């Protein structure tokens, strides 16, 4: 990702909305919405527990709220996740319209468009939390491991995914246990650390997490 492109994106970020409130919660629709990173993370994990135990509330889906959101939005978290159809963030965290700014690429791979989207959320919408969400049995990870094992060419645009995930796969190859799981965790943590290190995102708290397809639970990664 070229530094001149990053500088261009930083210099031309769109100023579309006023800053969100800075108190612990802000009223949007009929329920308070978190505006601090700890409150936002707690809301995400609480929502995930509801999802995993088959007690979702499906909040923020009313017609009245749709009308309110037509003029402004104040999402409380950025989710950088995978495109996998089994891991939709709004369902996984039991959230609704206007709650989450979701950015999804295969294997949570970063590029300039992803970084610009995160920057829009953090700088322009004043979102306090960025959560990078990896998941078990990730297809992008599986494709990367298959390439490293066989050396077969990677077709077309898929090469970008393999190039980005391969460093995590190589670092974890000698570890005992599930190579795919180790790779997913290492890559998810690397994406988190890359976002943390970027000066465009210093105002946000950035965490990494793992979604378990079997239990439906999200757990934070160290």
């Amino acid at each position: 990702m070229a530094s001149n492109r990053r500088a261009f994106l930083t210099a031309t970020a769109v100023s579309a909305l006023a800053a969100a409130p800075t108190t612990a919660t802000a009223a949007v629709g009929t329920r308070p919405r978190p505006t601090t990173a700890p409150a936002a993370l707690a809301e995400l994990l609480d929502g995930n527990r509801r999802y995993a135990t088959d007690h979702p509330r499906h909040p923020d889906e009313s017609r009245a709220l749709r009308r309110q959101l037509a003029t402004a939005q104040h999402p409380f978290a950025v989710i950088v996740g995978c495109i996998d159809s089994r891991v939709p963030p709004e369902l996984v965290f039991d959230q609704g319209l206007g709650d989450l700014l979701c950015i999804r690429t295969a294997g949570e791979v970063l590029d300039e468009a992803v970084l610009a989207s995160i920057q829009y959320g953090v700088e322009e919408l004043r979102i306090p939390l960025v959560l990078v969400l990896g998941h078990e049995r990730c297809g992008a990870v599986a494709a990367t491991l298959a390439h490293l094992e066989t050396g077969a060419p990677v077709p077309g645009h898929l090469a970008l995914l393999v190039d980005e995930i391969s460093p995590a796969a190589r670092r974890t190859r000698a570890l005992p246990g599930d190579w795919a799981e180790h790779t997913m965790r290492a890559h998810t943590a690397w994406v988190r650390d890359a976002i943390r290190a970027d000066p465009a995102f210093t105002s946000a708290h950035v965490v990494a997490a793992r979604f378990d397809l079997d239990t439906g639970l999200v757990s934070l990664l160290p």
Side-chain angles (χ1 to χ4, degrees):
M1 292 169 284
S3 59
N4 61 333
R5 292 183 64 198
R6 180 76 57 78
F8 173 79
L9 289 166
T10 301
T12 58
V14 183
S15 297
L17 294 174
T22 56
T23 54
T25 59
V28 177
T30 59
R31 71 180 183 124
R33 191 165 296 191
T35 60
T36 66
L41 184 57
E43 172 60 28
L44 289 179
L45 296 179
D46 285 347
N48 174 248
R49 282 189 286 270
R50 295 193 301 269
Y51 168 81
T53 57
D54 288 333
H55 292 91
R57 297 175 184 167
H58 302 294
D60 296 341
E61 297 180 359
S62 69
R63 182 179 181 184
L65 181 62
R66 291 200 305 271
R67 289 175 174 172
Q68 182 178 350
L69 291 173
T71 58
Q73 61 169 326
H74 298 286
F76 66 83
V78 175
I79 308 297
V80 180
C82 184
I83 60 170
D84 194 297
S85 63
R86 301 166 294 180
V87 195
E90 287 89 351
L91 295 183
V92 166
F93 293 109
D94 191 28
Q95 302 300 318
L97 295 172
D99 293 332
L100 306 179
L101 193 71
C102 299
I103 307 161
R104 301 175 68 181
T105 62
E108 311 91 57
V109 165
L110 295 178
D111 63 14
E112 287 295 330
V114 172
L115 292 168
S117 299
I118 300 170
Q119 183 174 343
Y120 176 78
V122 170
E123 288 192 353
E124 303 304 323
L125 301 182
R126 301 295 191 267
I127 297 175
L129 176 71
V130 178
L131 186 145
V132 181
L133 184 62
H135 67 94
E136 65 173 339
R137 305 187 195 110
C138 177
V141 169
T144 300
L145 302 191
H147 167 71
L148 293 178
E149 288 177 325
T150 66
V154 181
H157 302 293
L158 294 176
L160 172 65
L161 305 182
V162 171
D163 288 345
E164 293 294 318
I165 298 173
S166 287
R170 293 191 179 98
R171 288 197 306 272
T172 58
R173 190 165 196 168
L175 294 177
D178 188 336
W179 187 20
E181 176 70 15
H182 294 321
T183 298
M184 179 274 294
R185 287 173 174 264
H187 174 67
T188 304
W190 178 87
V191 173
R192 173 201 61 200
D193 294 343
I195 296 170
R196 279 180 178 173
D198 194 311
F201 313 125
T202 53
S203 64
H205 183 58
V206 187
V207 299
R210 172 194 185 274
F211 178 67
D212 191 293
L213 292 172
D214 298 307
T215 66
L217 286 171
V218 170
S219 56
L220 296 179
L221 295 179

